[in-house]
Amino acid sequence: SALVTGGAKRVGEAICRALHAGGYRVLVHCQQSCAEADALAAEFNAQRCDSALVLRADLADTSALDAMIDEVRAQATDLSLLVNNASAFFATPLATTTAAQWDQLVDTNLRAPYFLAQGLHALLADNHGVIVNLADIYAERPIANHPVYGMTKAGLVALTRSLARDLAPAVRVNAVAPGAILWPE
């Protein structure tokens, strides 16, 4: 099985489609795009029975994240892939950034991947698994008026390097930065 956060639309949907076509049972995480996630899972399940499951959780909510981890442990003992794709992206000019904006970006882009790795690493290790984090070129080449976003993606790159060291050889950890594919609406 593979868990893809933010798997209902755009890049996440493409990842889910590729994994499903490759034979994975796909756990499609959603927060706001649950109608799209339900439709995607229904499509997958029509092609192959019990090959998709939707997980709803606000990644910034500790109890919701913990509940999702528990559900993954219960529903996917064969978990071999965690794709941390979910991401918040919006401008945070220095003069006007709020604590709520800071928290939303840090919680979604950095905190959730950390705690998902923490909560699922033993299961991934049992299945010789992989964690793939979706980074961004803005981690190294900041975009104007997006300092918090860039910082979270730079942190995600550092987290990837740390986890790769800490979880090896049982779990392989990598990051990819696919670039702008489809901008959020």
Side-chain angles (χ1 to χ4, degrees), residues 149-165:
Y149 175 80
M151 176 207 64
T152 64
K153 290 300 182 170
L156 186 61
V157 170
L159 174 62
T160 300
R161 290 182 177 132
S162 293
L163 291 177
R165 178 176 300 262

Side-chain angles (χ1 to χ4, degrees), residues 15 81-85 109-110 113 130-137 139-140 152-165 171-179:
I15 293 167
L81 177 59
L82 166 60
V83 180
N84 286 306
N85 168 68
N109 299 354
L110 188 55
V130 177
I131 297 173
V132 178
N133 295 322
L134 269 74
D136 195 309
I137 189 65
E140 295 180 15
T152 64
K153 290 300 182 170
L156 186 61
V157 170
L159 174 62
T160 300
R161 290 182 177 132
S162 293
L163 291 177
R165 178 176 300 262
V171 178
R172 208 170 63 241
V173 185
N174 290 289
V176 296

Side-chain angles (χ1 to χ4, degrees), residues 7-163:
K9 293 174 28 178
R10 295 185 296 276
V11 174
E13 177 187 357
I15 293 167
C16 287
R17 287 186 181 283
L19 292 172
H20 188 264
Y24 277 88
R25 178 171 182 248
V26 182
L27 310 179
V28 183
H29 160 263
C30 64
Q31 178 183 340
Q32 297 175 345
S33 303
C34 291
E36 292 90 339
D38 288 337
L40 187 62
E43 177 187 330
F44 290 165
N45 286 324
Q47 293 170 11
R48 218 172 52 241
C49 186
D50 194 33
S51 62
L53 175 69
V54 175
L55 302 172
R56 292 163 174 77
D58 177 353
L59 297 179
D61 179 337
T62 301
S63 61
L65 187 61
D66 289 344
M68 186 173 88
I69 290 167
D70 289 343
E71 187 172 0
V72 171
R73 287 182 187 146
Q75 299 285 334
T77 57
D78 64 340
L79 185 74
S80 62
L81 177 59
L82 166 60
V83 180
N84 286 306
N85 168 68
S87 183
F89 176 79
F90 51 84
T92 52
L94 180 61
T96 59
T97 302
T98 66
Q101 290 172 322
W102 171 281
D103 290 344
Q104 183 180 357
L105 287 162
V106 170
D107 288 349
T108 303
N109 299 354
L110 188 55
R111 186 177 163 280
Y114 180 88
F115 285 104
L116 283 168
Q118 181 190 64
L120 298 173
H121 80 275
L123 189 57
L124 289 163
D126 289 345
N127 295 300
H128 309 287
V130 177
I131 297 173
V132 178
N133 295 322
L134 269 74
D136 195 309
I137 189 65
Y138 299 141
E140 295 180 15
R141 296 182 188 155
I143 184 174
N145 295 315
H146 289 73
V148 181
Y149 175 80
M151 176 207 64
T152 64
K153 290 300 182 170
L156 186 61
V157 170
L159 174 62
T160 300
R161 290 182 177 132
S162 293
L163 291 177

